[in-house]
Amino acid sequence: MTVHFIGAGPGAADLITVRGRDLLGRCETCLYPGSMTPTDLLAHCPDGAVLIDTANLALPAIVERMVEAHGKGHEIARLCSGDPSIYSAVAEQMRRLDAAGVPYDVTPGVPAFAAAAALLNRELTVPEVGQSLVITRAQARSTAMPPGETLANFARTGTTLALHLAINRIEQVVDELRPFYTDDCPAAVVALASQPGEQVLRGTLGTIAAQAREAGISRAAMIFVGQTLAAEGFPDSFLYSATRDRANQPESL
């Protein structure tokens, strides 16, 4: 039997992948983050499935439940908000499952930053404006950031930034970015992307903190900063250029 780490997506039940939905449908045990999992998503679980809300469980208890279910011969779904590859705490769960001899696999999901960018109707990589994206977070009541992974270091590149877990420190974020981005640099805040009550704010580095405070946004929000958020008049990419030799080049960037 296997533990299936499944990306549940950013919130809307219909943004789970088909593979993730089908796995849910055959798992006798499902562990899910209660504060972030819509009940419509759990409806895909089979009748009689054991549903375990992990919102108030510490890591040892979560792993113990998975090991116990494995011992009973259950297929196990471990739902993760967004995509398991980022800010999902699956690495420490996998390490413990390895020690316990419990197999697992991973099914990707729609990450929060992608859902937020979709609400903005923006591509985050624009030809000759920005071709990179830094996904990071702010540190408050959380694990320490590794040395060198500072906002200042990322901002020195001038690239587009996508910040998780930073909305309650947005004024500090703005202050740290000001030496590297102008006050009129485009910025945005997207809260509860794909969920009821979703909010989208568009502004600049100089205005976005006040906008977020006025809107009362304090949780489940992404902060974006970068020129790609308002880019206009940029050249078309080479991907679909009429001058490209398609006979000898695969369709790729």
Side-chain angles (χ1 to χ4, degrees):
M1 300 295 104
T2 301
V3 173
H4 305 285
F5 290 100
I6 301 170
D14 61 352
L15 283 181
I16 192 172
T17 65
V18 173
R19 181 184 297 180
R21 180 201 64 194
D22 291 347
L23 281 172
L24 274 180
R26 71 172 199 244
C27 286
E28 297 95 339
T29 295
C30 175
L31 295 90
Y32 65 97
S35 60
M36 295 179 268
T37 305
T39 55
D40 287 352
L41 195 57
L42 297 178
H44 295 303
C45 296
D47 292 341
V50 178
L51 304 180
I52 301 169
D53 184 353
T54 61
N56 295 313
L57 296 180
L59 179 60
I62 292 171
V63 175
E64 181 181 1
R65 298 294 184 90
M66 290 191 283
V67 173
E68 287 177 353
H70 173 73
K72 294 176 182 177
H74 287 193
E75 290 286 323
I76 303 143
R78 175 57 172 127
L79 285 174
C80 311
S81 62
D83 178 81
S85 70
I86 182 169
Y87 304 133
S88 65
V90 299
E92 50 263 48
Q93 295 173 63
M94 291 173 174
R95 181 169 59 193
R96 286 163 172 78
L97 292 176
D98 284 337
V102 176
Y104 53 84
D105 57 28
V106 180
T107 297
V110 177
F113 80 86
L119 277 181
L120 290 170
N121 286 328
R122 278 288 168 179
E123 183 177 357
L124 299 177
T125 54
V126 175
E128 296 188 12
V129 178
Q131 288 290 287
S132 302
L133 174 69
V134 171
I135 304 166
T136 187
R137 65 172 175 84
Q139 182 185 343
R141 295 178 299 171
S142 57
T143 307
M145 296 291 284
E149 291 194 15
T150 66
L151 277 183
N153 281 345
F154 294 136
R156 284 187 179 94
T157 67
T159 193
T160 305
L161 302 179
L163 285 85
H164 288 257
L165 307 173
I167 192 63
N168 289 317
R169 300 178 63 206
I170 190 168
E171 290 87 0
Q172 181 178 340
V173 166
V174 168
D175 287 343
E176 290 184 40
L177 295 181
R178 272 201 168 104
F180 310 98
Y181 298 86
T182 61
D183 265 8
D184 61 357
C185 179
V189 167
V190 179
L192 298 170
S194 84
Q195 303 176 51
E198 62 187 12
Q199 293 176 273
V200 176
L201 304 177
R202 293 177 174 86
T204 67
L205 186 63
T207 66
I208 199 64
Q211 289 176 253
R213 292 307 181 200
E214 184 177 354
I217 296 174
S218 62
R219 66 186 184 92
M222 295 289 311
I223 302 171
F224 294 94
V225 178
Q227 295 297 334
T228 61
L229 299 174
E232 296 180 356
F234 50 86
D236 294 337
S237 71
F238 187 62
L239 180 61
Y240 297 117
S241 171
T243 64
R244 179 175 173 176
D245 180 5
R246 285 178 167 72
N248 297 311
Q249 298 182 26
E251 185 173 4
S252 67
L253 295 177

